[in-house]
Amino acid sequence: MKDDVMFAIVLLLSLTFACMLRNMSIGRVHLSTAAGISFTVACTQIWYLLPPCVLVLLVLRARSLARMHGTVCGVIAFGYLAIARQLELSGLTNALLLLLTLKLVALGFDSADSAAPIRYSTLQRLQYICCFYGLFTGPFYSITHWQLAMSTEQPAVSQLRSAGLLVIYTLCAASVWLCVAIFVP
């Protein structure tokens, strides 16, 4: 039940924060990265998430492996995931590790497929890995699409309409969660 409560809290905070972040035009990358790191530190066993990130970032710095970045990053991410699945991780840590595996493999294949293997700086890759989007909310982006989404101006949306929809979605999600928690043991 503890994990269910944590998932519900993270869901409510994620919806609220995503709505606010969507309407920002300046500093979205830095703020979404800071939010991703803050949520991760507050809600998970972060020390289980660090090793694959550090290893993949080190591999991506090796220019001699540029053609094999996708394969090497895939082996690191999925290999670590297989080992971590044997540990007793909290539900949220496990969920984030699964999403992080997708991001790390996507980074490797994006680097291997690009003509210039050092197209993104280590800081940009770290921002992509830690970004709030893709860890706590959807959708999943490759680093190329993520950078485009972060730099593109969001369409103007009425604040009142966004807030109203957020309240409706939150109430629906909370109702479904409560029904499942009560009626499904």
Side-chain angles (χ1 to χ4, degrees):
M1 189 69 170
K2 181 183 170 200
D3 281 342
D4 292 340
V5 172
M6 184 59 82
F7 277 120
I9 290 169
V10 168
L11 173 68
L12 295 175
L13 290 175
S14 295
L15 288 172
T16 304
F17 188 77
C19 184
M20 290 186 316
L21 192 61
R22 181 177 190 272
N23 294 318
M24 296 184 72
S25 58
I26 299 174
R28 191 177 328 151
V29 173
H30 302 300
L31 189 58
S32 63
T33 302
I37 291 171
S38 300
F39 272 62
T40 303
V41 169
C43 303
T44 66
Q45 300 159 314
I46 191 161
W47 50 91
Y48 290 113
L49 303 176
L50 293 177
C53 295
V54 171
L55 288 173
V56 165
L57 287 174
L58 288 174
V59 165
L60 292 175
R61 300 221 8 114
R63 293 181 186 180
S64 60
L65 296 174
R67 295 185 56 140
M68 296 181 58
H69 278 170
T71 305
V72 174
C73 290
V75 168
I76 289 170
F78 283 109
Y80 185 80
L81 180 63
I83 293 168
R85 299 287 289 180
Q86 304 305 314
L87 306 172
E88 292 193 22
L89 302 176
S90 71
L92 198 53
T93 303
N94 188 31
L96 283 181
L97 189 58
L98 291 169
L99 294 169
L100 192 62
T101 299
L102 288 176
K103 283 187 159 194
L104 296 176
V105 172
L107 265 177
F109 279 105
D110 188 68
S111 176
D113 291 342
S114 67
I118 311 295
R119 189 168 64 187
Y120 300 105
S121 69
T122 303
L123 176 63
Q124 289 171 316
R125 289 175 176 151
L126 190 60
Q127 287 174 329
Y128 169 71
I129 290 170
C130 298
C131 185
F132 175 77
Y133 294 113
L135 282 180
F136 292 96
T137 63
F140 169 77
Y141 291 115
S142 68
I143 189 167
T144 306
H145 291 112
W146 170 79
Q147 194 169 40
L148 181 64
M150 289 290 114
S151 63
T152 303
E153 193 70 29
Q154 295 294 320
V157 178
S158 167
Q159 295 286 340
L160 184 59
R161 182 171 177 252
S162 294
L165 288 175
L166 177 64
V167 169
I168 291 170
Y169 291 148
T170 304
L171 289 174
C172 289
S175 300
V176 169
W177 175 78
L178 185 60
C179 289
V180 170
I182 291 172
F183 296 115
V184 179

